[in-house]
Amino acid sequence: MSSGRSRFPGPDRFEYLQTLVTEFQDTDSPDAREQILANLANFSYDPKNIEDLQRLQVTELFLDMLTEESENLVEFGIGGLCNLSADRGCRDQILQSGRRPGDGLPVQPARGDGASARLRNLALVFLEDCCTRAQVERAEREGQSHSALGIPLPDD
């Protein structure tokens, strides 16, 4: 393979991503679901994949993961959303996500001793990328334990 060329160029890339999405939807194995979602989150980091991921409705897949019981699925979902939020169109889609303004994104409440440091850090990155400081401050003033998007803020 020559340098600068993707392992999955053009249509092959789309087919590969489509295979990942299909496998994620079809598998019952929790470990396989986590691995596939982690791969999709990694692919969402590359701007070359944005259009294909949008066509495959991966943004909605990541959004759906925010209400999962598995902390890993939530983490990979947030990671994928953070990666996609670099694209203005994806960011707008994430923020709107079919909900009324101000309702926020659904995230399962933290269990046990609270959300992991990784989840808090990912949520913070998402907030910094997608929300104005005024939006975050407004949510804090309203006494909510979550951000304007419904994602827990890290403890200061």
Side-chain angles (χ1 to χ4, degrees):
M1 169 176 14
S2 64
S3 65
R5 293 199 47 146
S6 171
R7 182 173 158 202
F8 303 105
D12 292 336
R13 179 181 312 169
F14 177 80
E15 290 172 10
Y16 181 75
L17 293 171
Q18 186 174 38
T19 299
L20 284 177
V21 171
T22 301
E23 286 179 16
F24 180 83
Q25 294 168 337
D26 290 347
T27 188
D28 291 329
S29 166
D31 290 337
R33 288 174 56 88
E34 288 178 7
Q35 182 63 48
I36 295 165
L37 194 66
N39 287 333
L40 288 169
N42 286 334
F43 275 106
S44 68
Y45 186 76
D46 188 343
K48 294 179 205 169
N49 296 323
I50 298 292
E51 185 178 325
D52 291 337
L53 293 170
Q54 285 178 312
R55 284 179 54 203
L56 294 167
Q57 300 179 338
V58 172
T59 303
E60 290 83 2
L61 178 70
F62 290 149
L63 287 166
D64 288 345
M65 294 303 102
L66 300 181
T67 58
E68 286 291 322
E69 293 289 324
S70 163
E71 188 173 290
N72 286 336
L73 290 178
V74 173
E75 178 182 333
F76 297 140
I78 291 174
L81 291 172
C82 289
N83 289 340
L84 290 176
S85 69
D87 177 82
R88 181 177 291 281
C90 289
R91 183 172 49 244
D92 291 344
Q93 181 182 7
I94 292 165
L95 291 173
Q96 293 170 8
S97 66
R99 294 164 179 85
R100 295 177 311 175
D103 280 353
L105 299 175
V107 177
Q108 286 287 23
R111 290 163 188 72
D113 298 326
S116 73
R118 290 186 313 199
L119 282 178
R120 287 192 310 266
N121 289 338
L122 282 171
L124 181 60
V125 167
F126 184 80
L127 290 171
E128 289 173 352
D129 286 349
C130 294
C131 297
T132 66
R133 184 65 198 150
Q135 289 172 313
V136 175
E137 289 172 357
R138 185 181 72 225
E140 289 170 339
R141 279 193 312 270
E142 293 173 358
Q144 299 175 356
S145 62
H146 49 67
S147 76
L149 295 176
I151 297 174
L153 287 170
D155 295 330
D156 290 322

